[in-house]
């Protein structure tokens, strides 16, 4: 039995558009993406459920959506046996990658779900690009046979409509436009990340939008190795081309982003057509595997 409310049914399940991961994986047949494969078969041994390693502390499952979404409800299908394992799991939604997204605001606590059943939890339009199912405690196992996330994009990613440039380019496979190609693959050697020349002073990456935009948030995906290189980079937004746009007002400082992870920084509706990632200091290297800019047009130029 699936419990759905009327307004949820009118919104799409956006989960299949995202990327799933989990804290650990028991076997190849229990990978994170099984929870968004469109099959709600609750029989674990049919191979359409996730499963973390046995006796893990604080296991989690995470969905990274392709943008910031306003989420009204989340449905979870439990397995047919050992149904009590899901008891007291938490659904968390937000834009922070801190603690793998498990520190984001809580939509609901799952007290229990009967074996082989689906329960729907209302989230009241919470906004975020991370949707986590987090099971706090020692010696836990998290198994999900399907997760459906009902909602709609809050604001579009406008970055692909702009033109990217950077201070220097290490090679043809590391050009500035790689950060807005829609491919957030964090493995640098797969060829979808930017890279400035080695040991440059004050390297920067810049997006020139086709008009003046009101920008609510910027998401940055870091590379899989040498993740510390991005530490203390600044996101700057405005309309001035002075100093290649790096003198515009600051939205945020990036203290760090874990390797191969995405972090989202709130910009509160700052206006501008330049969005820069600027890394002040000597002997620096700037690498970005994806930059997403969420906002709406104020005026086209």
């Amino acid at each position: 039995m699936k419990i759905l409310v009327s307004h949820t049914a009118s919104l799409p399940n956006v989960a299949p558009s995202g990327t799933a991961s989990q804290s650990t994986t028991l076997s190849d047949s229990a990978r994170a993406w099984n929870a968004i494969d469109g099959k709600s078969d609750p029989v674990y041994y049919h191979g359409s459920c996730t499963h973390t390693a046995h006796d893990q502390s604080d296991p989690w499952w995470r969905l990274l959506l392709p943008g910031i979404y306003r989420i009204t409800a989340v449905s979870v299908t439990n397995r047919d046996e050992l149904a009590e394992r899901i008891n007291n799991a938490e659904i968390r939604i937000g834009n922070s990658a801190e603690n793998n997204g498990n520190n984001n605001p809580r939509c609901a606590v799952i007290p229990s779900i009967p074996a082989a059943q689906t329960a729907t939890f209302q989230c009241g339009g919470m906004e975020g690009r991370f949707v986590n199912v987090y099971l706090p405690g020692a010696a836990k196992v998290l198994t999900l046979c399907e997760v459906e996330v009902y909602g709609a994009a809050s604001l579009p990613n406008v970055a692909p409509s702009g033109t990217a440039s950077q201070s220097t380019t290490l090679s043809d496979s590391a050009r500035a436009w790689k950060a807005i190609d829609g491919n957030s693959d964090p493995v640098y050697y797969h060829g979808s990340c930017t890279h400035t020349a080695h040991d440059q002073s004050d390297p920067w990456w810049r997006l020139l939008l086709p008009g003046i935009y009101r920008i609510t948030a910027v998401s940055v995906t870091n590379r899989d190795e040498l993740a510390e290189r991005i530490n203390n980079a600044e996101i700057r937004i405005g309309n001035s081309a002075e100093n290649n746009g790096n003198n515009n007002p600051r939205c945020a400082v990036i203290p760090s982003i874990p390797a191969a992870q995405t972090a989202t920084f709130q910009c509160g509706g700052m206006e501008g057509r330049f969005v820069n990632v600027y890394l002040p200091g000597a002997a620096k290297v700037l690498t970005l595997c994806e930059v997403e800019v969420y906002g709406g047009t104020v005026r086209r130029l």
Side-chain angles (χ1 to χ4, degrees):
M1 177 181 66
K2 179 175 285 190
I3 307 164
L4 288 175
V5 296
S6 58
H7 76 272
T8 299
S10 66
L11 290 170
N13 171 24
V14 298
S17 68
T19 303
S21 58
Q22 59 189 356
S23 48
T24 57
T25 300
L26 182 67
S27 67
D28 283 344
S29 64
R31 295 197 176 275
W33 65 268
N34 283 359
I36 56 170
D37 63 358
K39 303 175 185 177
S40 55
D41 184 344
V43 180
Y44 174 74
Y45 293 104
H46 288 177
S48 186
C49 302
T50 73
H51 197 304
T52 59
H54 288 290
D55 300 331
Q56 183 191 351
S57 293
D58 306 324
W60 52 266
W61 177 93
R62 184 179 73 188
L63 177 68
L64 172 61
L65 290 166
I68 297 173
Y69 281 69
R70 184 174 290 110
I71 295 165
T72 60
V74 176
S75 293
V76 178
T77 300
N78 201 8
R79 66 176 294 180
D80 60 329
E81 298 176 316
L82 302 167
E84 70 281 358
R85 285 179 171 176
I86 205 167
N87 294 1
N88 301 314
E90 302 177 1
I91 298 170
R92 291 183 173 263
I93 297 170
N95 291 306
S96 173
E98 183 181 7
N99 188 24
N100 297 296
N102 296 313
N103 290 353
N104 280 313
R106 189 167 61 195
C107 157
V109 175
I110 301 172
S112 64
I113 302 175
Q117 299 297 305
T118 300
T120 299
F121 303 88
Q122 303 304 311
C123 299
M126 292 176 70
E127 290 193 351
R129 60 181 321 214
F130 294 110
V131 179
N132 283 42
V133 180
Y134 168 60
L135 184 56
K140 298 286 187 178
V141 174
L142 181 61
T143 300
L144 305 167
C145 292
E146 194 71 11
V147 176
E148 296 163 296
V149 177
Y150 297 96
S154 305
L155 286 168
N157 171 23
V158 299
S161 68
T163 303
S165 57
Q166 59 189 354
S167 49
T168 58
T169 300
L170 182 67
S171 67
D172 283 345
S173 64
R175 294 195 176 277
W177 63 268
K178 295 296 181 74
I180 56 170
D181 63 357
N183 183 354
S184 58
D185 185 344
V187 180
Y188 174 74
Y189 294 104
H190 289 175
S192 186
C193 302
T194 73
H195 197 305
T196 57
H198 288 289
D199 299 331
Q200 182 191 353
S201 293
D202 307 325
W204 53 266
W205 177 92
R206 185 179 71 188
L207 177 68
L208 173 60
L209 291 166
I212 297 172
Y213 283 69
R214 183 174 291 112
I215 295 166
T216 60
V218 175
S219 292
V220 178
T221 300
N222 201 8
R223 66 176 292 179
D224 61 327
E225 298 176 317
L226 303 167
E228 70 282 356
R229 285 180 171 175
I230 205 167
N231 294 2
N232 302 313
E234 302 176 1
I235 298 170
R236 291 183 172 262
I237 297 170
N239 291 306
S240 173
E242 183 181 4
N243 188 24
N244 297 296
N246 296 312
N247 290 354
N248 280 313
R250 188 167 63 194
C251 157
V253 175
I254 302 173
S256 63
I257 302 175
Q261 299 296 310
T262 300
T264 301
F265 303 89
Q266 302 302 314
C267 299
M270 292 177 69
E271 291 189 3
R273 63 180 316 214
F274 294 110
V275 179
N276 284 41
V277 181
Y278 168 60
L279 184 55
K284 298 287 187 178
V285 174
L286 180 62
T287 300
L288 305 167
C289 292
E290 197 71 12
V291 177
E292 295 161 299
V293 178
Y294 298 97
T297 312
V298 175
R299 184 172 76 254
R300 286 199 167 266
L301 300 176

